[in-house]
Structures are given as C-alpha cells and as structure tokens.
C-alpha cells in the first residue's frame, strides 16, 4: 500500500511555522523541520536525526522509519512481534543513551499498550517499553529511556523512537494517506 504522510513537524514542536523539508519513504512523504537530518540505510530504513549526537550515546537523537527488511529482523533477528520490544540483535545490545552499558534484558511487558491513530482511517499498534541500561554483569544502572513503537502491519511500517522525540505522536496522528 502506498501512502502519503504529510506532517508539519515545526508546527507541532513550536506552534509556529518554520522551514520544512519533504522526506520520501516507501511512497510516503513526510514534512520534517529543515534542522532535522535524514539518513537512508542500505537496508531501506530511514533514521530521522532530530538532535545532536552525544559522546556516550550509541546513536544520535532521532527516530527510525523501518520497512519490510527492518520488520523482518526486529525481534532478535526474527520478524517483529507486537508483544516484544524492538531488539534486532540476537544478543545483548549497547544502551542507546550510553554505550558503556547494555539494554538487555528487555522488559517483559510494555508500560503503555494500545492503538494509536496514524492519520485518518489508520490505526497503529502502539507500545511503550521502559528500557533500563545494565552493566556488563547485568546490574541495572540509573539510566533508562522509553522505547516507543508504532506498527502498521498492512502498510509494513514500523516507527521506533528511543529518544522520546517531542511531537512525534502528534505528527503521526496528523498523517495523511493517499
């Protein structure tokens, strides 16, 4: 299914218009603030960078737009499962917010679960997991972060946000489809 996703992120984030740039993803067009950077992977995903890259962070602030390939390997190298967090590795992964630590084991249950509107007529499975970073020996640290997921199975789109990106939920609610 092809879609057009029109989002005015600048209005959502600041309440006032600013320069927006269109981004295409699997037939989708997303309007993002011109200050955001979009990186395409060689496996067909987009990483939307919304802020800086911390020295200790495993990856830069932002969120992922994943298609079939990302969905196929989203749960310990197996297809994404709505009842499990996004964890593409079959082993322990570095903590997104501090690569000195690890984000495994993952929580057994999401802290928030339900359906969320993604534009008119489209609902996504929504899950929010509280991920706690652990030492090499498995002891929890004080570092934790939410992992938010919107999954649209018929459109084969998975949105993964581990930085609690301001306004992302509202942007997805305002999505338009063709």
């Amino acid at each position: 299914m092809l879609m057009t996703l029109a989002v005015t992120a600048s209005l959502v984030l600041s309440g006032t218009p600013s320069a927006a740039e269109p981004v295409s993803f699997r037939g989708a067009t997303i309007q993002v603030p011109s200050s955001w950077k979009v990186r395409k992977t060689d496996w067909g995903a987009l990483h939307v960078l919304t802020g800086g890259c911390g020295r200790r962070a495993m990856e830069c602030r932002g969120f992922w737009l994943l298609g079939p390939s990302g969905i196929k390997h989203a749960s310990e190298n197996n297809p994404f499962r709505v009842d499990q967090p996004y964890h593409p590795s079959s082993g322990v992964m570095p903590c997104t917010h501090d690569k000195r630590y690890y984000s495994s084991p993952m929580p057994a249950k999401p802290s928030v679960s339900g359906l969320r509107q993604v534009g008119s007529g489209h609902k996504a499975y929504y899950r929010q997991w509280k991920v706690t970073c652990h030492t090499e020996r498995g002891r929890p640290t004080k570092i934790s972060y939410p992992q938010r997921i919107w999954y649209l199975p018929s459109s084969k789109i998975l949105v993964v946000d581990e930085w609690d990106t301001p306004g992302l939920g509202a942007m997805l609610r305002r999505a338009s489809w063709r």
Side-chain angles (χ1 to χ4, degrees):
M1 171 193 271
L2 294 178
M3 67 171 189
T4 300
L5 182 61
V7 179
T8 306
S10 59
L11 286 171
V12 172
L13 296 175
S14 66
T16 59
S18 69
E21 305 240 351
V23 175
S24 294
F25 177 71
R26 295 179 40 75
T29 301
I30 304 170
Q31 299 294 326
V32 301
S34 60
S35 61
W36 291 6
K37 308 284 185 242
V38 180
R39 303 254 163 84
K40 186 175 182 177
T41 69
D42 57 358
W43 44 279
L46 293 181
H47 191 192
V48 181
L49 305 170
T50 62
C53 303
R55 187 172 47 93
R56 288 189 178 159
M58 180 62 192
E59 63 182 47
C60 300
R61 289 184 177 276
F63 61 93
W64 288 88
L65 298 169
L66 306 170
S69 183
I71 292 168
K72 184 178 178 181
H73 302 286
S75 182
E76 298 199 3
N77 221 10
N78 290 302
F80 176 72
R81 290 181 40 184
V82 111
D83 64 334
Q84 294 183 345
Y86 176 75
H87 186 79
S89 172
S90 58
V92 177
M93 292 177 55
C95 174
T96 300
H97 291 234
D98 191 330
K99 61 187 171 191
R100 297 176 300 167
Y101 304 115
Y102 302 92
S103 63
S104 182
M106 293 301 246
K109 293 185 177 182
S111 55
V112 179
S113 176
L115 295 174
R116 296 289 189 268
Q117 197 70 38
V118 179
S120 179
H122 294 269
K123 297 258 185 185
Y125 291 101
Y126 176 79
R127 302 291 184 265
Q128 182 171 318
W129 308 85
K130 180 182 179 189
V131 179
T132 301
C133 298
H134 293 76
T135 66
E136 190 173 335
R137 294 186 177 208
R139 291 193 180 124
T141 67
K142 293 180 181 181
I143 301 170
S144 67
Y145 57 92
Q147 181 188 86
R148 303 186 305 163
I149 293 172
W150 291 260
Y151 177 51
L152 296 118
S154 60
S155 301
K156 296 186 179 8
I157 296 172
L158 179 64
V159 180
V160 179
D161 177 25
E162 296 184 317
W163 290 96
D164 204 14
T165 303
L168 181 56
M171 290 190 311
L172 293 171
R173 275 191 306 277
R174 289 186 180 106
S176 62
W177 297 78
R178 65 176 159 126

